[in-house]
Amino acid sequence: MENLSPELLDQIREVVKRPEGTVEFTFIFEQDLFSPNMPGTVIFHLVSGSHYFRLERTDNLEVAFYHSSPGTGTRVAIVDLRKLKPSNTVFFAFSWSPQEIQLHVGPKIAGGELVSAVGILSEVGFRVGADGSVFQVGDRDVQIMGVRFNMEGKQIVKPTAIDAWRETKKAIEMLLTGESKEGYIF
């Protein structure tokens, strides 16, 4: 994204500020994206209103597409790079809607095939603050509830309606067990 002009980036932000859409691009990598020795890196990320888009190459030879919005929470679609022919030039396409997200990845070489994945609810969450900053909320095997971030006395992140609903349901389920062994939340 460093190669894009601020004007073009602003145009992209406006276009993707919708409940559904698709982004496609081809990326030429200087490093070997398919090398098991390459550490994880963010390929693309963009904040558009309260939406957050993130495409990253993980340490586990995967490409993960995260989409976060207040109405859906954070979802992730993952493509295993071991299923693709190695190439320095790679095609990416991702789409989002209230119903699902999808990721498509394919090497731009002869015989290269597209591999696709449908997203699921992610354990790793992202939230966009009122100031446009991005916060990671939770992680694998880490549950977070009632997320709030304040800066200079102003709340920039508060629970979304869907988060408040999920947390209320979880609290009710916990109380219905009638046991305290469920943890500190009881």
Side-chain angles (χ1 to χ4, degrees):
M1 287 192 3
E2 296 85 28
N3 299 347
L4 302 177
S5 71
E7 295 80 22
L8 181 57
L9 215 46
D10 287 341
Q11 288 176 1
I12 293 170
R13 276 192 190 94
E14 275 307 308
V15 170
V16 300
K17 198 184 290 183
R18 304 170 180 209
E20 60 185 80
T22 300
V23 171
E24 300 177 1
F25 63 94
T26 299
F27 197 90
I28 300 171
F29 290 90
E30 292 176 13
Q31 294 181 313
D32 183 4
L33 181 73
F34 296 86
S35 169
N37 299 325
M38 180 183 168
T41 186
V42 175
I43 298 167
F44 172 89
H45 71 105
L46 183 70
V47 174
S48 179
S50 57
H51 291 256
Y52 180 58
F53 303 87
R54 180 183 181 108
L55 190 64
E56 73 178 31
R57 197 291 201 164
T58 70
D59 291 336
N60 301 325
L61 277 172
E62 297 170 332
V63 173
F65 165 55
Y66 292 92
H67 174 260
S68 178
S69 77
T72 62
T74 303
R75 298 172 292 175
V76 62
I78 299 172
V79 166
D80 187 342
L81 288 172
R82 291 173 283 247
K83 294 180 178 179
L84 298 167
K85 288 185 175 184
S87 172
N88 284 350
T89 306
V90 181
F91 170 79
F92 295 98
F94 54 82
S95 61
W96 68 97
S97 73
Q99 292 75 33
E100 72 178 6
I101 65 168
Q102 294 183 16
L103 171 63
H104 311 278
V105 182
K108 297 279 282 192
I109 57 172
E113 294 186 17
L114 201 62
V115 175
S116 302
V118 174
I120 59 171
L121 197 57
S122 176
E123 290 182 84
V124 178
F126 294 98
R127 293 287 308 280
V128 177
D131 63 347
S133 55
V134 177
F135 297 88
Q136 181 175 329
V137 180
D139 207 336
R140 288 166 188 83
D141 301 322
V142 176
Q143 290 184 344
I144 303 291
M145 293 176 68
V147 174
R148 288 171 173 75
F149 289 102
N150 296 317
M151 184 180 290
E152 298 176 358
K154 295 181 182 172
Q155 193 169 63
I156 58 172
V157 173
K158 60 184 178 181
T160 63
I162 193 74
D163 287 341
W165 173 247
R166 288 179 184 143
E167 291 165 8
T168 300
K169 281 179 52 180
K170 186 166 187 83
I172 291 168
E173 291 167 2
M174 196 72 65
L175 288 171
L176 288 174
T177 66
E179 298 177 21
S180 62
K181 69 179 184 181
E182 292 294 327
Y184 75 93
I185 196 169
F186 183 80

